[in-house]
Amino acid sequence: MNLDYLKVFTAIAKQGSILAASKAMGIPKSTVARQLRQLEKQLSRQLVLRNTRHLRLTDEGQRLYQKVKGLIGDLEEVEHDMKGRLGKLSGKITVAIPSEFGVKWLNESIATFAANHPDIAIDCITSMAPLDPVRRDVDVSICYHRGKLSDSGMVVRPLVSMRSAVVAAPSIIANYGRPASVHELSQLPCISTLTALQANPWHFIDAEGRTIALDVPTRYRVDSSLMLIAGARAGIGFAIIPYEFCTESIESGDLIELALDLNPAPLEIVAIHPDRKSISQRTRAFLDVVEQQLSTLGKRSLR
């Protein structure tokens, strides 16, 4: 059985059409169609039903695809790995990045990485909600985390730790007073996230370094750092925000940083990838660039 023919067949099954497969593989449509016919001739089976508009696999084609798709993927990964050892990275990376954070802090470095590695294809999903790398077939998910990480069976690579601050607008302090204790916040209006950071509760660090979770009342939940800061400035509630994100508002007096009996847990930015397979060289190289970029942000947040 010709391996090249199997690669073509797998691409057709995955892409859903001969034209899409030819574009994905970078070879002429006529070559894709011809190699599919050759494979069907070798196996004496029709693998694909096709007309001018639609294409679908036959039962035999579906069975073949299920048997060979993992094998083809593994062989392609071996090829990419060998090229990487020769200093030439190739293949595809699917990465998920928090939307506002990615656009502000990582857009230039990711674009430069793509320009420096023309044989790597990058799909970048921007979403505040953390994505499951296994279910969404994501190679690596860069996400926010505060407090203790849940044991998900994933491989977690810390990228940067950012000091957090509990802040409030002068108007809300005038209405509710300036709390000195973390537990006072459980009786005060607060702003929280919707899906990011597991929504609620807030997290603090005690004198022994233990993480303390605190449920806070909230009527305003947003998955946007910009909306979080705007809500705090408008006096909707107290908020816990990375200091680097709200420095200007604190310096201008629009927000006031509170001195509490416990420090808010830092915002951790981590990379998560499945442990079902070792991370590829191209993904590791991508994360090295991201970590280097974020290290500058981390140093600034600790000032």
Side-chain angles (χ1 to χ4, degrees):
M1 191 180 302
N2 189 296
L3 182 59
D4 289 335
Y5 297 171
L6 280 177
K7 288 182 178 180
V8 164
F9 166 72
T10 303
I12 292 171
K14 184 176 182 179
Q15 299 297 328
S17 73
I18 291 176
L19 177 60
S22 71
K23 291 180 178 179
M25 300 185 72
I27 59 178
K29 178 182 176 182
S30 58
T31 301
V32 172
R34 175 175 55 79
Q35 292 191 359
L36 173 62
R37 290 194 299 270
Q38 291 293 333
L39 178 62
E40 290 178 324
K41 183 177 180 180
Q42 283 185 354
L43 298 177
S44 300
R45 294 287 188 277
Q46 185 176 9
L47 303 174
V48 175
L49 296 173
R50 49 201 181 274
N51 56 35
T52 55
R53 290 188 176 184
H54 303 289
L55 177 152
R56 67 179 178 86
L57 301 182
T58 63
D59 290 342
E60 289 83 359
Q62 190 64 244
R63 282 195 292 270
L64 178 63
Y65 177 60
Q66 294 301 321
K67 287 180 178 293
V68 304
K69 64 178 182 179
L71 173 63
I72 296 299
D74 290 342
L75 289 174
E76 289 175 345
E77 195 56 48
V78 169
E79 180 182 357
H80 296 318
D81 182 69
M82 295 305 295
K83 288 181 178 179
R85 294 179 188 277
L86 296 175
K88 187 176 182 180
L89 297 174
S90 62
K92 182 180 179 181
I93 303 172
T94 301
V95 58
I97 295 178
S99 50
E100 291 172 0
F101 180 84
V103 170
K104 182 173 182 179
W105 298 107
L106 297 177
N107 58 341
E108 295 291 343
S109 56
I110 292 176
T112 300
F113 178 85
N116 290 339
H117 300 283
D119 291 327
I120 293 181
I122 300 178
D123 284 354
C124 190
I125 304 168
T126 52
S127 170
M128 287 296 293
L131 298 183
D132 186 326
V134 173
R135 293 185 181 179
R136 290 295 302 271
D137 197 22
V138 172
D139 293 300
V140 62
S141 180
I142 298 174
C143 56
Y144 296 141
H145 137 70
R146 187 180 276 124
K148 186 178 180 180
L149 268 174
S150 60
D151 185 11
S152 63
M154 300 286 179
V155 178
V156 178
R157 173 174 169 174
L159 296 176
V160 67
S161 178
M162 303 177 65
R163 179 170 81 87
S164 293
V166 176
V167 297
S171 61
I172 200 167
I173 291 178
N175 290 333
Y176 293 93
R178 186 191 294 254
S181 166
V182 162
H183 290 286
E184 291 180 60
L185 293 170
S186 62
Q187 305 300 320
L188 297 174
C190 295
I191 301 173
S192 191
T193 52
L194 185 61
T195 56
L197 296 172
Q198 297 180 333
N200 226 355
W202 287 12
H203 291 87
F204 296 85
I205 305 297
D206 68 11
E208 285 73 40
R210 295 172 299 190
T211 300
I212 304 298
L214 179 72
D215 283 303
V216 294
T218 177
R219 68 176 180 87
Y220 190 67
R221 298 188 299 162
V222 294
D223 277 343
S224 162
S225 58
L226 294 178
M227 294 185 70
L228 187 67
I229 294 169
R233 286 164 57 108
I236 295 174
F238 295 84
I240 180 170
I241 305 173
Y243 184 82
E244 178 65 27
F245 291 5
C246 57
T247 302
E248 293 182 2
S249 295
I250 293 174
E251 291 176 349
S252 68
D254 292 330
L255 291 176
I256 297 172
E257 182 178 5
L258 303 182
L260 301 169
D261 57 338
L262 299 180
N263 291 323
L267 181 73
E268 309 286 351
I269 301 176
V270 299
I272 301 175
H273 66 87
D275 63 354
R276 56 185 167 83
K277 61 179 181 180
S278 60
I279 189 170
S280 65
Q281 289 189 11
R282 60 184 176 276
T283 304
R284 186 178 292 109
F286 174 86
L287 285 178
D288 288 343
V289 169
V290 169
E291 185 172 22
Q292 182 178 10
Q293 174 69 23
L294 294 183
S295 64
T296 303
L297 179 60
K299 292 176 182 176
R300 283 166 38 183
S301 70
L302 293 174
R303 291 178 184 173

